[in-house]
């Protein structure tokens, strides 16, 4: 999609599996083998213990709207106003995202509303994880 | 071993000759202008300085530009609180005998963008992969993200955040050098232009050009300078994450808590001892988070504490706590790395020379943030020798 005006992420060796998962429509997280706790962003060791004993697993794809702002200034590729949001996953991690298939208003964007992950294909390598109201 | 309270003093302090919109001066020269003013303040020349610290600009460039031959160098650059952290590192270096006289400089052409080093985020950095694709547009859209969660957690209304700018504007009115001095109301703030909901223009810092510099030396040398020494009583620092999405608690800054507690314990003070407080306010929620994370207020209570007038000019009683008495980044000036201006106001208060002087103030706490809740530095200053 050559008309894509937004920022396109470039994976590193440590994050490649995450972006490979997104391309296949799977949201991959990692888990610390010592504590069992999930973590994000990707890295080949546990931020809790420093152990390299970690594994990759597929997240449930469920989440809840944790916090956000609605940007009103013009930004390349975006139609303002648009929300820049944080989603809380039941697995225990948070990530930044945009909320799609939803009006970008304080009334429509209610904190703690249930969300589900979806993916926007940007090019052959990158699909971006986005979140939308659950059960839509 | 910890830093011995009162063993290092600030003997020179100055801001740039002018603050505001300064298209005729480069960022490097803003550093130098502030440095020369601070040296003139305490009667020193570049040859008298043997330690140098600065942020964003590399200290190498500054040392050579100023003609300084340092034996000690610190280029810690973790955002606007870097200068608080430089104070801590300088105290350790002076106490250890690594150098005698340290110059800390800040200069920033934040508004006019003259002679600014190139800044940017790479697409393969963590921020480039996990935040930038979602369209954040600088600090107004990122530093503010945790606030809705704070407001919901504690049942606080946005008017309590708006009030921060109203109170600070009252302080700015005392300062001839403040950018904005006319009083404003809660309605003015809540009707100002929407930037990133729930943040409106008057909840965001201004963007100006300027600089500042400090000169520190051993306290037992301080009496040989023409200025009234300001003693460093305690200092703390910490960092958390450069990704706002990954901060541990959206209602509280871990870096604030660690830096603040470290500084208070180092100084051996309690909250009741504090006569004057500066909390770096890039946005109006910062003083609220700061008052709570430093322990001056309980969780969710800082908005009410300010609403009741306790931090405003003329506050009396046991709760009175003059806060951001220069007007802060919301009204005084904000070049991008504001921490130096908070330090300058603490020094003025301890010297007894602030245009908004707090009568009889002997102890000042100056608390800084770096990045977006990414880093923190806290400096406790006293007008009295240990």
């Amino acid at each position: 999609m050559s008309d894509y005006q937004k920022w396109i992420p470039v994976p590193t060796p440590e994050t490649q599996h995450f972006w490979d998962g997104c391309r296949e429509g799977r949201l991959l997280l990692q888990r610390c083998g010592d504590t069992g706790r999930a973590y994000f962003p990707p890295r080949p060791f546990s931020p809790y213990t420093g152990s390299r004993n970690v594994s990759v697993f597929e997240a449930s794809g469920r989440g809840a709207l944790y916090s956000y702002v609605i940007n009103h200034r013009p930004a390349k590729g975006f139609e303002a106003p648009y929300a820049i949001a944080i989603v809380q996953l039941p697995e225990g991690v948070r990530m930044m995202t945009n909320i799609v298939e939803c009006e970008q208003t304080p009334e429509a964007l209610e904190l703690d509303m249930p969300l589900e992950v979806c993916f926007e294909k940007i090019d052959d390598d990158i699909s971006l994880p986005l979140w939308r109201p659950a059960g839509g | 071993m910890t830093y011995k309270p009162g063993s290092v003093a600030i003997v020179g302090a100055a801001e740039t000759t002018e603050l505001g919109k300064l298209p005729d001066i480069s960022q490097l020269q803003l550093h130098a202008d502030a440095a020369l003013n601070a040296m003139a303040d305490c009667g020193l020349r570049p040859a008298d300085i043997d330690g140098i610290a600065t942020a964003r600009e590399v200290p190498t460039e500054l040392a050579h530009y100023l003609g300084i031959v340092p034996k000690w160098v610190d280029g810690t650059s973790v955002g606007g609180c870097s200068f608080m952290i430089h104070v801590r590192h300088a105290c350790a270096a002076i106490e250890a005998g690594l150098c005698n006289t340290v110059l800390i400089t800040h200069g920033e052409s934040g508004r006019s963008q003259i002679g600014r080093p190139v800044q940017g985020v790479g697409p393969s950095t963590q921020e480039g992969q996990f935040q930038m694709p979602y369209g954040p547009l600088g600090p107004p859209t990122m530093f503010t993200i945790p606030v809705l969660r704070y407001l919901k957690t504690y049942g606080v209304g946005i008017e309590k955040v708006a009030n921060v700018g109203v109170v600070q504007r009252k302080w700015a009115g005392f300062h001839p050098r403040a950018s904005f001095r006319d009083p404003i109301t809660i309605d003015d703030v809540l009707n100002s232009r929407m930037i990133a909901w729930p943040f409106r223009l008057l909840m965001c810092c201004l963007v100006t050009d300027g600089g500042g510099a400090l000169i520190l030396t051993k306290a037992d040398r301080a009496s040989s300078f023409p200025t009234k020494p300001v003693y460093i009583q305690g200092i703390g620092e910490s960092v958390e994450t450069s990704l706002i999405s990954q901060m541990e608690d959206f209602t509280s800054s871990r870096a604030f808590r660690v830096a603040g507690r470290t500084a208070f314990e180092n100084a051996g003070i309690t909250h009741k001892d504090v006569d004057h407080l500066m909390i770096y306010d890039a946005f109006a929620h910062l003083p609220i988070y700061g008052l709570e994370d430093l322990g001056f207020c309980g969780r969710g209570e800082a908005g009410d504490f300010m609403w009741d007038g306790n931090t405003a000019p003329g506050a009396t009683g046991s709760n009175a706590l003059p806060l951001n008495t220069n007007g802060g980044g919301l009204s005084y000036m904000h070049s991008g790395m504001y921490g130096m201006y908070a330090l300058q106001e603490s020094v003025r208060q301890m010297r007894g020379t602030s245009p908004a002087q707090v009568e009889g103030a002997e102890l000042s706490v100056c608390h800084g943030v770096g990045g977006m809740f990414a880093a923190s530095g806290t400096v406790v200053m006293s007008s009295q020798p240990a």
Side-chain angles (χ1 to χ4, degrees):
Chain A
M1 283 181 238
S2 58
D3 60 343
Y4 192 81
Q5 294 290 306
K6 300 174 188 174
W7 182 281
I8 301 176
V10 174
T12 62
E14 296 79 20
T15 65
Q16 186 64 53
H17 70 274
F18 176 84
W19 294 109
D20 288 346
C22 290
R23 201 176 55 224
E24 298 160 6
R26 303 162 69 219
L27 185 68
L28 300 182
L29 299 176
Q30 285 169 295
R31 194 188 304 285
C32 164
D34 295 347
T35 64
R37 292 172 67 192
Y39 64 87
F40 179 84
R43 75 209 79 172
F45 61 92
S46 164
Y48 308 119
T49 66
S51 167
R52 295 174 196 266
N53 172 24
V54 298
S55 57
V56 174
F57 70 101
E58 185 173 354
S60 64
R62 289 181 290 111
L65 181 56
Y66 193 68
S67 206
Y68 66 94
V69 294
I70 302 174
N71 179 38
H72 281 246
R73 295 181 301 158
K76 200 176 171 188
F78 286 85
E79 201 173 315
Y82 62 94
I84 302 158
I86 306 293
V87 57
Q88 170 77 55
L89 278 61
E91 289 82 2
V93 306
R94 297 187 196 118
M95 50 184 70
M96 188 176 278
T97 192
N98 298 127
I99 309 297
V100 295
E101 300 173 33
C102 181
E103 274 195 69
Q104 306 290 290
T105 63
E107 294 72 29
L109 294 163
E110 204 174 326
L111 285 201
D112 301 315
M113 66 191 276
L115 303 171
E116 63 188 23
V117 75
C118 55
F119 296 89
E120 180 186 11
K121 183 176 177 179
I122 296 175
D123 58 30
D124 288 343
D125 296 319
I126 298 293
S127 290
L128 194 64
L130 300 171
W131 294 74
R132 64 187 174 204
Chain B
M1 174 184 163
T2 65
Y3 166 73
K4 185 176 169 224
S7 61
V8 171
I10 295 169
V11 295
E15 294 173 353
T16 43
T17 307
E18 290 183 84
L19 300 174
K21 192 175 178 182
L22 308 172
D24 298 325
I25 183 167
S26 71
Q27 182 155 309
L28 185 60
Q29 184 58 29
L30 287 167
H31 280 270
D33 184 57
L36 295 173
N37 286 347
M39 285 187 261
D41 182 51
C42 59
L44 293 181
R45 296 177 310 135
D48 302 314
I49 306 290
D50 63 356
I52 189 163
T54 195
R56 190 150 300 157
E57 258 69 25
V58 287
T60 321
E61 185 171 10
L62 203 72
H64 189 256
Y65 193 64
L66 285 166
I68 288 169
V69 182
K71 291 190 291 190
W72 176 87
V73 175
D74 182 12
T76 301
S77 190
V78 292
C81 67
S82 298
F83 316 105
M84 284 81 172
I85 294 177
H86 293 154
V87 168
R88 189 167 196 243
H89 298 179
C91 285
I94 290 166
E95 222 183 9
L98 304 184
C99 56
N100 290 314
T101 310
V102 170
L103 170 69
I104 302 171
T105 73
H106 159 71
E108 194 162 20
S109 184
R111 170 88 182 219
S112 302
Q113 303 276 316
I114 307 297
R116 293 262 283 181
V118 174
Q119 293 178 59
V121 177
S124 61
T125 60
Q126 290 194 96
E127 188 179 359
Q129 293 182 69
F130 303 113
Q131 293 196 154
M132 292 306 288
Y134 303 107
L137 208 58
T141 59
M142 287 201 278
F143 213 159
T144 51
I145 281 188
V147 173
L148 281 190
R149 176 52 55 181
Y150 174 94
L151 297 178
K152 177 165 182 176
T153 300
Y154 296 114
V156 174
I158 193 68
E159 73 280 1
K160 298 291 165 60
V161 181
N163 178 57
V164 173
V166 175
V167 174
Q168 292 191 187
R169 185 62 66 84
K170 293 178 186 170
W171 284 115
F174 292 92
H175 285 262
R177 279 162 64 87
S179 291
F180 295 137
R181 304 179 60 206
D182 293 338
I184 51 173
T185 65
I186 301 280
D187 281 348
D188 290 336
V189 179
L190 292 179
N191 290 318
S192 61
R193 182 158 56 88
M194 186 64 82
I195 301 295
W197 193 88
F199 276 74
R200 292 174 182 271
L201 184 66
L202 293 178
M203 302 175 187
C204 304
C205 66
L206 46 110
V207 183
T208 46
D209 308 318
L214 297 171
I215 295 170
L216 290 82
T217 193
K218 271 202 172 75
D220 58 17
R221 283 182 68 210
S223 61
S224 62
F225 292 90
T227 48
K228 176 175 163 47
V230 175
Y231 300 91
I232 306 298
Q233 295 299 111
I235 13 181
E237 66 187 277
S238 193
V239 296
E240 183 179 348
T241 171
S242 49
L243 302 172
I244 189 81
S245 61
Q246 301 304 315
M247 80 186 277
E248 185 176 270
D249 181 345
F250 275 35
T251 71
S252 167
S253 161
R254 190 188 75 192
F256 279 17
R257 299 194 306 272
V258 173
R261 189 172 58 240
T262 304
F264 274 64
E265 286 175 4
N266 182 185
I269 59 163
T270 67
H271 295 87
K272 288 275 176 238
D273 299 323
V274 178
D275 301 314
H276 172 254
L277 177 62
M278 297 297 291
I279 297 175
Y280 187 137
D281 58 322
F283 295 90
H285 60 301
L286 271 293
I288 292 175
Y289 278 65
L291 281 167
E292 295 176 11
D293 287 335
L294 291 173
F296 288 98
C297 295
R299 294 270 156 236
E301 294 173 1
D304 284 337
F305 183 78
M306 295 189 75
W307 190 264
D308 292 342
N310 292 304
T311 66
T316 54
S318 60
N319 283 337
L321 182 60
L323 167 64
N324 290 345
T325 53
N326 61 353
L330 297 176
S331 289
Y332 183 70
M333 88 85 69
H334 195 295
S335 55
M337 301 174 80
Y338 163 82
M340 176 57 80
Y341 310 96
L343 288 163
Q344 295 289 335
E345 176 64 8
S346 282
V347 169
R348 287 191 291 265
Q349 289 286 347
M350 294 298 92
R351 286 177 168 182
T353 60
S354 172
Q357 186 61 42
V358 174
E359 204 65 42
E362 294 187 353
L363 198 84
S364 175
V365 170
C366 190
H367 180 73
V369 67
M372 291 166 276
F373 287 127
S376 187
T378 312
V379 179
V380 182
M381 301 182 199
S382 173
S383 64
Q384 306 301 312

